[in-house]
Amino acid sequence: MPNKVTYDAVVVGAGPNGLAAAIRLAQAKLSVLLIEANDTIGGGARSGQLTLPGFIHDLCSAVHPLAVGSPFFRQLPLERYGLHWIQPEYPLVHPLDQTNAAILHRSVKKTAEELGTDGDAYIRLMSPLVEHSDTLGIEFLQPMLHWPKCPIRLARFGFYALQSAAGLINKKFTNVGARALFAGLAAHSFLTLERTPSAAFGLVLGMLGHAVGWPLPRGGSQKLSDALAAHFRFLGGEIRTGLRVEHFDQLPLARATLLDLTPLQVLLLMEDKLPSSYARRLGRYRYGPGVFKIDYALNAPIPWRAEQCSRAGTVHVGGTFEEIAMSEREVAQGKPPDRPFVLLAQPTLIDPTRAPAGKHIAWVYCHVPNGSTFNMTQRIENQIERFAPGFRDCINARHTMNCEEIEAKNSNLVGGDINGGAADLRQLFERPVFSPSPYRIPVPGYYLCSSSTPPGGGVHGMCGFQAAEAALRDCFK
């Protein structure tokens, strides 16, 4: 690649954050080049045929409450480029033993009505969040060190969020359904449920389920990435794929260079250019647990005992709060869990374009220790069979990926960590360093825009947007 000034800005990595950064820079009428190592753009939001012809699976993310709730993505005319969000009848169902299940309805009141004696507690906890979800959503998706526009509302959220999920559950809920439902939401944090701030993840994801749903893009996650790329090109941007950058000297000179990379890749790319103190801080950055993922081609829908599961886009398979807590503790102890907490999506129940007529797909993963190569297939399927007897009889084909294989597909997913780094309390503030603008790399014109910066993991593009804003202030006034 020629090493001369040909662009105002260069963005390395075409995941959701790289795409968001590139779009924001292009909106400012800058010439922008977006570089992607893989042959297809999208990073953690890609789709492809992993099992059999005609079955379209999502390679990483599948369900996108954060994308549809993103303050930046919502401003973009993505429907013009073929993006269509599909909402399942129920955003989330959590099966319990026999035919019982806890349901996250779009309505807080309807959800509470089915939680028995915990209904009033659920309303008091969730209604204020849902009522102010637009303003709170903007606050959540900022760097931790910022001046809040809604300090009272944010303080109320923080009162509950800055504690462990286990602590909040034990204070608020006694009903097995409410306890399990919130435990499953909080387990998206990849933290043990006894650690702070696991409660925050449960509150935010529950709030989004009520406020905007847990939708899927028709045709798969690739449709979201393709729409972002199409809008970027409409703004005059250029994309080059299949171009792996292994040293910063390979990059064209530009006034601003933004890296949709995690700290490990930044060190590999430009350690000899970084101040030693900053390099040491990046070297101390910690990655979280990994995932073991299975994609299924099915000859029939999953035969759930609780029929409500057959009307949900997402199903949390893990049993009670106590069982989920045990699964996450085992992961933290470095052990593949015996009875894993399983996150499962059923795209073809609402999007038949993803499989041949009469066939279905399922997207499944569980948490495992970072870097694990243990094959979790049997343990995952035992959990699904527990709530859907006969599930194995529906399987036409399966495609599995352990942590090493996941990282081989996307080097940002270090050790199978799909969140760009552990999201414990320390790394909410030090992501990757403690700073009012953690996007700035202490090399003039260089910025970090990956999920290793605030607000962290998830398909929302706000890490890229915030990094682009910093570059616009610094380099383009």
Side-chain angles (χ1 to χ4, degrees):
M1 184 180 297
N3 192 17
K4 61 182 180 180
V5 178
T6 53
Y7 300 94
D8 293 317
V10 172
V11 180
V12 179
N17 285 307
L19 284 160
I23 289 170
R24 180 66 193 97
L25 294 166
Q27 286 176 332
K29 311 298 184 183
L30 304 178
S31 60
V32 185
L33 171 65
L34 177 60
I35 297 171
E36 170 56 44
N38 291 299
D39 292 332
T40 56
I41 56 96
R46 289 184 291 161
S47 307
Q49 296 191 46
L50 298 176
T51 55
L52 299 173
F55 292 83
I56 306 301
H57 305 276
D58 293 317
L59 277 62
C60 188
S61 62
V63 183
H64 298 285
L66 286 166
V68 76
S70 166
F72 183 55
F73 287 168
R74 281 189 298 184
Q75 299 174 11
L76 306 178
L78 300 181
E79 68 284 348
R80 181 188 302 168
Y81 307 104
L83 177 64
H84 179 74
W85 293 109
I86 310 176
Q87 296 279 5
E89 180 179 354
Y90 302 143
L92 167 68
V93 172
H94 189 122
L96 302 165
D97 287 332
Q98 301 307 316
T99 59
N100 296 322
I103 304 172
L104 183 80
H105 295 268
R106 288 295 301 273
S107 163
V108 174
K109 182 179 179 181
K110 179 65 173 174
T111 303
E113 286 173 354
E114 297 178 4
L115 295 178
T117 55
D118 287 332
D120 288 344
Y122 188 86
I123 288 174
R124 289 194 298 271
L125 182 65
M126 296 304 301
S127 285
L129 301 180
V130 176
E131 182 180 353
H132 302 293
S133 60
D134 283 346
T135 52
L136 284 172
I138 294 172
E139 298 285 5
F140 300 153
L141 298 174
Q142 301 278 341
M144 290 296 288
L145 299 180
H146 76 280
W147 189 260
K149 294 182 179 179
C150 308
I152 296 175
R153 293 172 189 165
L154 193 61
R156 184 190 183 279
F157 169 78
F159 176 77
Y160 294 113
L162 294 177
Q163 57 183 292
S164 72
L168 183 60
I169 288 168
N170 287 327
K171 289 175 188 174
K172 292 288 183 182
F173 303 128
T174 59
N175 177 284
V176 65
R179 291 165 67 85
L181 182 65
F182 194 85
L185 292 167
H188 282 256
S189 67
F190 283 78
L191 301 171
T192 63
L193 299 190
E194 295 79 18
R195 289 194 68 182
T196 303
S198 53
F201 290 80
L203 293 169
V204 171
L205 288 173
M207 178 194 77
L208 289 170
H210 294 303
V212 299
W214 283 20
L216 298 88
R218 176 175 287 162
S221 294
Q222 189 70 54
K223 297 296 185 181
L224 170 60
S225 298
D226 289 347
L228 290 166
H231 187 56
F232 173 59
R233 289 190 176 104
F234 171 78
L235 295 171
E238 178 185 346
I239 300 175
R240 298 189 197 176
T241 59
L243 188 60
R244 186 171 298 278
V245 178
E246 297 181 341
H247 194 270
F248 72 91
D249 284 341
Q250 295 176 258
L251 294 168
L253 294 178
R255 293 169 68 184
T257 300
L258 285 75
L259 307 176
D260 186 3
L261 306 172
T262 76
L264 177 61
Q265 286 80 49
V266 174
L267 286 171
L268 293 172
L269 185 69
M270 55 186 304
E271 183 171 13
D272 55 350
K273 194 173 184 178
L274 298 173
S276 58
S277 60
Y278 185 78
R280 285 195 299 272
R281 292 159 81 186
L282 291 189
R284 292 196 296 266
Y285 189 76
R286 291 169 293 108
Y287 293 90
V291 302
F292 184 92
K293 181 172 180 287
I294 310 177
D295 290 281
Y296 290 102
L298 305 174
N299 58 33
I302 298 173
W304 300 105
R305 270 203 187 103
E307 63 86 20
Q308 301 97 323
C309 295
S310 298
R311 296 147 64 189
T314 302
V315 181
H316 282 170
V317 183
T320 64
F321 153 59
E322 291 78 10
E323 290 177 283
I324 296 169
M326 174 60 73
S327 173
E328 299 308 294
R329 281 196 298 272
E330 288 178 326
V331 173
Q333 293 163 4
K335 299 187 294 187
D338 289 326
R339 301 182 85 179
F341 170 58
V342 177
L343 299 95
L344 185 151
Q346 307 179 112
T348 42
L349 292 181
I350 55 174
D351 183 7
T353 68
R354 302 279 298 275
K359 307 296 183 181
H360 289 270
I361 60 171
W363 170 100
V364 177
Y365 76 83
C366 73
H367 303 158
V368 294
N370 189 281
S372 172
T373 59
F374 186 85
N375 190 330
M376 291 293 293
T377 302
Q378 183 173 347
R379 296 184 185 185
I380 286 174
E381 292 180 1
N382 287 345
Q383 283 286 71
I384 300 173
E385 281 275 344
R386 174 182 164 195
F387 299 98
F391 167 69
R392 285 191 175 97
D393 296 334
C394 300
I395 300 171
N396 277 348
R398 64 172 67 81
H399 176 274
T400 66
M401 285 194 292
N402 63 30
C403 293
E404 282 189 357
E405 293 162 336
I406 287 170
E407 184 176 354
K409 292 279 187 184
N410 184 342
S411 60
N412 268 6
L413 309 184
V414 177
D417 177 356
I418 61 175
N419 275 337
D424 56 18
L425 189 59
R426 174 183 157 189
Q427 284 196 175
L428 284 183
F429 288 92
E430 297 181 9
R431 196 165 187 92
V433 297
F434 185 74
S435 168
S437 183
Y439 314 98
R440 293 187 178 98
I441 295 172
V443 175
Y446 280 80
Y447 299 83
L448 189 61
C449 68
S450 72
S451 58
S452 298
T453 64
V459 179
H460 45 66
M462 292 303 293
C463 308
F465 171 80
Q466 298 288 3
E469 289 286 296
L472 288 170
R473 289 192 296 269
D474 295 346
C475 303
F476 304 98
K477 308 303 180 184

